[in-house]
């Protein structure tokens, strides 16, 4: 008799536990099956397809908050707008604006006038565009990394160096953190190009047109990808 009573008490406890769980989870489960935007509804409507609009999925573990196994893929990152090719920015940059910007930011460490060899932290930048890295014979404080690099300061190299000197030439002594704004980097390089009796030519119109076409195609694809991402496809 006591055993029967014990079983009844145990059953009552189990019933209470399941009832409490039902109160907590049934509304959430019903929402998953009734909300048209829920992952479950999307999965039921299109079984076997990958669904990226999964707010109920943990982005780190990939697990669904209600139903295990329903998160089929990690969250898809938002597409990023392509960057305008640097050479296009450079072709459109105003050297006069670049001179004002460079003078304000760089004159503390560099000279820009031909034959001005007043001692400063960095080398004179006259004729730097098109020159070999670390090749100014009148400057003796280059890092071994820069002096032994062997590359030539072309437009893309200057752009990369101004973005992050230490990343482009690991071991450089230049302590400048870098310029994140590509438009400002283009202004700097446009001005540096003028510091020469024979400036390095800019890209031809044919080259610029090809770069523009590639960029336009990348933007068109970005807009398609963004629309799909926003629709949760």
């Amino acid at each position: 008799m006591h055993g029967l009573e014990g079983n009844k008490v145990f059953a009552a406890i189990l019933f209470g536990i399941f009832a409490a769980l039902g109160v907590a989870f049934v509304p959430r489960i019903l929402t998953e099956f009734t909300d048209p935007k829920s992952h479950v509804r999307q999965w039921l409507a299109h079984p076997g397809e990958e669904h990226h609009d999964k707010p109920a999925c943990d982005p780190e573990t990939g697990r669904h908050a209600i139903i295990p196994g329903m998160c089929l893929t990690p969250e898809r990152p938002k597409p990023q707008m392509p960057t305008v090719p640097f050479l296009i920015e450079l072709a459109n940059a105003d050297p006069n604006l670049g001179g004002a910007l460079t003078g304000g930011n760089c004159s503390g460490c560099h000279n820009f006038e031909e034959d001005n060899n007043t001692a400063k932290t960095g080398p004179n930048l006259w004729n730097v565009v098109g020159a070999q890295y670390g090749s100014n014979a009148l400057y003796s404080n280059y890092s071994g990394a820069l002096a032994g690099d062997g590359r030539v300061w072309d437009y893309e190299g200057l752009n990369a160096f101004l973005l992050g000197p230490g990343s482009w030439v690991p071991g450089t002594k230049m302590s400048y953190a870098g310029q994140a704004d590509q438009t400002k980097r283009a202004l700097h390089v446009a001005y540096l190009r003028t510091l020469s009796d024979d400036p390095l030519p800019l890209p031809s119109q044919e080259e610029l047109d090809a770069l523009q076409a590639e960029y336009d195609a990348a933007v068109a694809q970005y807009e398609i990808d963004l629309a799909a991402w926003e629709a949760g496809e």
Side-chain angles (χ1 to χ4, degrees):
M1 196 64 183
H2 290 293
L4 181 59
E5 292 296 327
N7 288 339
K8 289 181 178 180
V9 171
F10 182 70
I13 292 173
L14 285 178
F15 179 82
I17 292 173
F18 284 116
L21 290 173
V23 169
F25 287 99
V26 166
R28 295 172 67 186
I29 293 174
L30 289 176
T31 298
E32 284 293 317
F33 278 93
T34 57
D35 184 352
K37 294 183 179 180
S38 76
H39 176 68
V40 173
R41 284 291 298 274
Q42 291 183 42
W43 186 83
L44 291 174
H46 306 283
E49 296 182 7
E50 293 184 347
H51 303 290
H52 303 283
D53 184 17
K54 304 185 293 300
C57 293
D58 187 312
E60 294 184 0
T61 65
R63 295 181 180 275
H64 195 274
I66 307 296
I67 303 175
M70 292 304 293
C71 292
L72 304 180
T73 61
E75 294 290 340
R76 184 171 62 174
K78 183 177 181 179
Q80 298 299 308
M81 179 71 176
T83 302
V84 175
F86 177 73
L87 293 178
I88 291 179
E89 290 247 39
L90 176 63
N92 293 319
D94 184 343
N96 294 320
L97 292 178
L101 181 65
T102 304
N105 292 348
C106 311
S107 59
C109 296
H110 297 279
N111 291 312
F112 309 105
E113 303 83 11
E114 186 177 11
D115 298 326
N116 182 348
N117 295 306
T118 304
K120 286 194 173 183
T121 304
N124 188 316
L125 296 180
W126 179 267
N127 267 336
V128 68
V129 180
Q132 184 173 315
Y133 289 21
S135 63
N136 187 332
L138 298 177
Y139 182 75
S140 60
N141 198 30
Y142 286 115
S143 64
L146 196 64
D149 188 284
R151 286 177 288 179
V152 169
W153 286 118
D154 59 12
Y155 297 130
E156 293 286 12
L158 284 163
N159 176 46
F161 189 73
L162 290 173
L163 174 62
S167 298
W168 189 246
V169 183
T172 180
K173 291 182 179 179
M174 187 166 174
S175 59
Y176 179 58
Q179 173 56 260
D181 188 328
Q182 179 172 273
T183 299
K184 290 182 178 179
R185 297 198 303 272
L187 288 171
H188 282 306
V189 176
Y191 170 65
L192 293 177
R193 176 180 175 270
T194 69
L195 304 181
S196 174
D197 292 326
D198 184 22
L200 192 70
L202 289 169
S204 67
Q205 189 59 51
E206 183 179 359
E207 291 172 312
L208 293 173
D209 289 344
L211 288 172
Q212 185 66 52
E214 291 178 7
Y215 174 68
D216 291 343
V219 170
Q221 185 61 53
Y222 157 76
E223 292 174 347
I224 293 172
D225 294 342
L226 181 63
W229 182 86
E230 291 176 340
E233 298 176 1

